Amino acid sequence: MEAAPGKWIIDGTLGGGGHSEMFLKAGARVTGIDRDPEALAHAGARLAAYGDRFSTWQGNFRDLLEIPEIREGGKADGLLLDLGVSSRQLDSAERGFSFMRDGPLDMRMGPGSPRTAAQIVNEWDEADLVRILFEFGEEPKSRRIASAIVREREKRPFTTTLELAACIEKAVGGKRGKTHPATRAFQAIRMAVNEELESLAKALDAAHQVLRPGGRLLVITFHSLEDRMVKRFLRHRSSRFVDDPGWPEPRPNPDFQFELLTRKAIQPSASECNLNPRARSAKLRVARLLDTPA
Ligand SMILES: C[S@@+](CC[C@H](N)C(=O)[O-])C[C@H]1O[C@@H](n2cnc3c(N)ncnc32)[C@H](O)[C@@H]1O
């Protein structure tokens, strides 16, 4: 990120404020965004000692262009998106993200999320359940799980995380592997509840309008669909030319805006994964906005 005094960094996913704190310690000014008011209150209090070098904005990072300083023409030196849920969210039973802790079937990251997990599980058509389980969860047993959910909810609607986890475990059957059988399904439902891929697509699209020339975009993903989206986006936006089999020669790319700084994603070392097992699937990609983007 090259955080330093005089730089302004937007942390699009404030969460517990760990990354923001590193940027602040390096002397930068930081605006922390989160859709979760609880995260803003917690991290805001923790980072209050940095005074007016730290500010917060509650909202979805897909609306980056709505940040007051951006609306007034300000440009940031860096933008970080560290996707997914935070450890705090995952560990609070009452938020309903965890299949290990009993809580209401909620999974909303914040009040702006359009629906709860209970609405999806109890109201969506079986075909839509299959689709999200397969697409967002990459769940090979999506049909079997969706059909079990529909049969179960006809008897009684689902209200808690453990009821849903037990139904999925029964539907999947067999011996338990290293990961809980409901892992993929819970991830898929969470992504649908919070429209996570749509938000990412919009934020990536807005990045070049938010950064000053030379500013850096850093994205950390934890899911192959998200990583693919970031990888394709950066590959396209950092290509000087585009080609098509029907064209006599490559043409200049009108979307050429970034220089890719990570040809391959940066992944955590084995020792980092030992210290923080939740980092194991993280992939970081970094790009720099060109001085004269197309
Ligand atoms: C993985 S955590 C970030 C952890 C943070 N980097 C830290 O150091 O503690 C992701 C955070 O981003 C928030 N978040 C996820 N998607 C968001 C979105 N579309 N808009 C705003 N905040 C979002 C979540 O509510 C969560 O608090």
Side-chain angles (χ1 to χ4, degrees):
M1 184 60 93
E2 297 197 324
K7 293 204 174 176
W8 176 40
I9 289 165
I10 301 177
D11 180 350
T13 46
L14 179 65
H19 285 108
S20 280
E21 188 168 19
M22 303 287 285
F23 304 146
L24 289 161
K25 277 192 177 148
R29 187 164 67 82
V30 176
T31 298
I33 299 179
D34 209 295
R35 51 200 295 193
D36 182 353
E38 203 275 329
L40 289 180
H42 170 77
R46 216 166 67 70
L47 302 176
Y50 290 95
D52 59 10
R53 277 207 290 125
F54 178 65
S55 59
T56 57
W57 188 74
Q58 193 206 320
N60 189 321
F61 58 56
R62 71 174 173 214
D63 301 319
L64 284 170
L65 300 178
E66 301 296 320
I67 300 172
E69 200 165 337
I70 297 289
R71 286 174 68 140
E72 287 157 19
K75 299 278 182 198
D77 296 280
L79 169 64
L80 169 69
L81 302 176
D82 174 17
L83 303 172
V85 273
S86 68
S87 291
R88 265 178 85 76
Q89 289 168 329
L90 208 54
D91 293 337
S92 359
E94 69 275 14
R95 301 296 298 270
F97 288 109
S98 171
F99 44 78
M100 312 278 274
R101 295 177 170 78
D102 206 12
L105 262 181
D106 190 322
M107 300 197 199
R108 281 172 302 167
M109 283 183 184
S113 302
R115 58 186 78 88
T116 64
Q119 281 171 296
I120 291 183
V121 168
N122 292 320
E123 296 169 18
W124 279 22
D125 287 348
E126 186 168 337
D128 287 329
L129 292 176
V130 173
R131 179 181 57 78
I132 60 164
L133 292 171
F134 186 73
E135 263 181 37
F136 301 162
E138 297 178 322
E139 171 58 70
K141 295 179 177 157
S142 50
R143 283 179 194 287
R144 207 191 292 177
I145 294 173
S147 144
I149 290 175
V150 170
R151 266 182 282 125
E152 195 71 24
R153 78 186 185 192
E154 278 165 6
K155 293 182 223 152
R156 193 163 57 94
F158 288 93
T159 56
T160 71
T161 48
L162 291 193
E163 282 167 8
L164 178 63
C167 168
I168 295 169
E169 189 166 4
K170 216 167 99 197
V172 170
K175 261 182 50 194
R176 260 205 198 185
K178 245 173 50 197
T179 50
H180 189 287
T183 309
R184 293 166 192 268
F186 266 61
Q187 171 182 279
I189 296 167
R190 188 203 85 207
M191 290 177 75
V193 165
N194 296 291
E195 298 182 327
E196 293 180 35
L197 290 176
E198 293 91 329
S199 297
L200 174 59
K202 288 199 170 134
L204 291 176
D205 238 18
H208 71 284
Q209 287 166 276
V210 166
L211 291 168
R212 67 159 180 80
R216 289 182 172 218
L217 169 66
L218 281 76
V219 189
I220 305 174
T221 62
F222 293 84
H223 184 286
S224 57
L225 271 185
E226 284 169 346
D227 185 55
R228 214 173 305 148
M229 186 186 277
V230 176
K231 188 171 145 183
R232 284 190 184 152
F233 169 87
L234 290 178
R235 193 191 293 147
H236 176 63
R237 303 273 175 138
S238 62
S239 300
R240 198 177 285 275
F241 293 96
V242 278
D243 204 356
D244 184 285
W247 298 344
E249 57 189 22
R251 296 177 184 172
N253 178 5
D255 299 325
F256 177 44
Q257 288 157 342
F258 286 95
E259 175 194 355
L260 192 58
L261 300 182
T262 46
R263 213 176 46 78
K264 282 180 79 174
I266 299 173
Q267 291 181 267
S269 63
S271 62
E272 184 173 354
C273 293
N274 280 338
L275 282 174
N276 177 15
R278 283 176 178 165
R280 65 186 178 275
S281 50
K283 287 190 173 173
L284 166 66
R285 297 187 187 271
V286 186
R288 178 184 162 280
L289 190 67
L290 297 174
D291 292 328
T292 47

